[in-house]
Amino acid sequence: MSSVAVVAEMVGAPVSLTAIDVDVPAPGPGEVTIDVRAAGVNLADFMVCLGAIANAKRFPAHPLGYEVAGVISAIGPDTAIASGGGAVGDPVLAFRVRGGYTDRLNARADDVYRKPDTLTFPEAANLLLCGTSASKMLRVTGVTAGDTVLLHAASGGTGVSILQQARMVGARVIGTCGKDNFEVVRRFGGEPVEYGEGLAERVRDLAPDGIQVALDCAGTDEALDVSFALVQNRRRIMTCCAYPRAFDEDMEFSIGTWPAAAERAARADIIELAAAGKLVVPVAATHPLSDAADVLNFLSQRHPGGGKHALVP
């Protein structure tokens, strides 16, 4: 079967993308074919276009998109999806895939899960990358009840998931954002504080007894400088996007993979929470695949807030 995929033409910003025809063969053992109803859009996709987390040799047709939601249209022999079973017509979500900016793709069955009925396709397509990143950051830094956490870019996709998951363990979260996003942070259980000059002093005023953990989803020098100033233990400072500075600092960095068992357990937990309505994925807008470059360039503004974006074939 043929498919249309949106790929990156070259390294650099603003992002330049093109649509190409690709062949999608019949799925083999351990694979399923998904007719994509929505593709999640993440800052990580923009970083691929910059060459920060991609092999430049894969350009000028580098596939984009790590997560999708859709319907199984074919399933390989002797194959079951990660959540068990699986049949043609089942609504599913998949993460981590390669080349999710498309209308059809083959995915490893181990990365495919039944879509909760409580989630729309755009919501489901944006659940697992941010959700597992949030879970990893909270677990690696050991966030527990009684901790006060400073969260940078709290109104972004990963930030909103961190807010919700931290609240579940009883932690207090002070979240940086612009004034326009204060209500977003409050909605998901955080205490907003405006970023910019004087941030460290404003945080100290809110938390006179100190900050135990700092989680960075902004990737700015301000976020890291303030984190270092307020948190003594650098093992409890973590970033998911401070390229390339994080490589040179004595801190935790979420690039790369978790142990497979830990990530798969986190995925299952996140899907269960979303199915129960305990973990919300706010979606700001959906867009046609042809608008993918415009959406990525918009997201490059570093978490403009307002919710996630999805591409709809």
Side-chain angles (χ1 to χ4, degrees):
M1 294 183 289
S2 63
S3 175
V4 175
V6 174
V7 298
E9 293 181 310
M10 62 187 70
V11 177
V15 167
S16 177
L17 306 180
T18 190
I20 62 172
D21 292 325
V22 297
D23 180 58
V24 180
E31 292 183 328
V32 299
T33 302
I34 300 173
D35 286 353
V36 177
R37 298 289 186 265
V41 182
N42 294 283
L43 188 60
D45 302 326
F46 178 75
M47 300 307 292
V48 167
C49 295
L50 291 186
I53 50 176
N55 185 341
K57 293 181 180 179
R58 292 178 179 171
F59 292 87
H62 197 299
L64 297 173
Y66 291 106
E67 55 184 341
V68 299
V71 175
I72 294 177
S73 58
I75 188 164
D78 301 318
T79 295
I81 63 175
S83 51
V88 170
D90 284 353
V92 293
L93 62 148
F95 172 75
R96 308 172 181 211
V97 301
R98 184 171 181 265
Y101 289 13
T102 186
D103 57 359
R104 180 179 294 115
L105 83 168
N106 285 341
R108 294 194 319 160
D110 285 348
D111 294 326
V112 179
Y113 302 80
R114 176 87 186 192
K115 182 183 78 67
D117 294 337
T118 52
L119 296 182
T120 66
F121 285 110
E123 290 169 342
N126 279 291
L127 175 65
L128 285 181
L129 190 149
C130 286
T132 55
S133 294
S135 178
K136 179 177 183 178
M137 294 178 80
L138 291 166
R139 295 186 190 194
V140 169
T141 56
V143 173
T144 59
D147 280 336
T148 299
V149 178
L150 175 61
L151 170 61
H152 298 283
S155 63
T158 302
V160 165
S161 193
I162 289 173
L163 287 172
Q164 295 176 81
Q165 294 186 52
R167 181 171 57 183
M168 294 176 199
V169 302
R172 177 192 181 194
V173 181
I174 297 172
T176 74
C177 61
K179 283 187 176 180
D180 290 347
N181 288 312
F182 271 27
E183 287 307 313
V184 173
V185 174
R186 291 191 182 106
R187 174 188 172 192
F188 294 106
E191 301 172 41
V193 60
E194 188 176 12
Y195 52 73
E197 186 176 353
L199 174 60
E201 288 71 24
R202 290 191 292 277
V203 174
R204 287 190 180 100
D205 288 342
L206 288 171
D209 293 331
I211 300 291
Q212 287 75 53
V213 180
L215 304 177
D216 169 41
C217 301
T220 62
D221 284 336
E222 175 191 67
L224 295 190
D225 291 342
V226 171
S227 297
F228 295 148
L230 298 179
V231 178
Q232 293 183 346
N233 183 354
R234 288 205 173 190
R235 296 279 70 77
R236 305 198 80 190
I237 303 173
M238 190 168 186
T239 183
C240 64
C241 55
Y243 308 96
R245 183 176 170 185
F247 291 110
D248 301 322
E249 299 283 359
D250 181 21
M251 61 186 297
E252 296 291 344
F253 189 27
S254 68
I255 196 168
T257 57
W258 231 352
E263 178 166 317
R264 293 193 183 283
R267 292 182 190 182
D269 290 344
I270 289 161
I271 292 170
E272 183 178 350
L273 290 170
K278 296 179 181 179
L279 188 62
V280 176
V281 182
V283 174
T286 60
H287 313 265
L289 274 174
S290 58
D291 288 350
D294 290 339
V295 178
L296 286 181
N297 288 321
F298 173 72
L299 290 183
S300 72
Q301 300 171 27
R302 290 288 181 180
H303 303 291
K308 297 286 293 179
H309 293 255
L311 301 174
V312 178

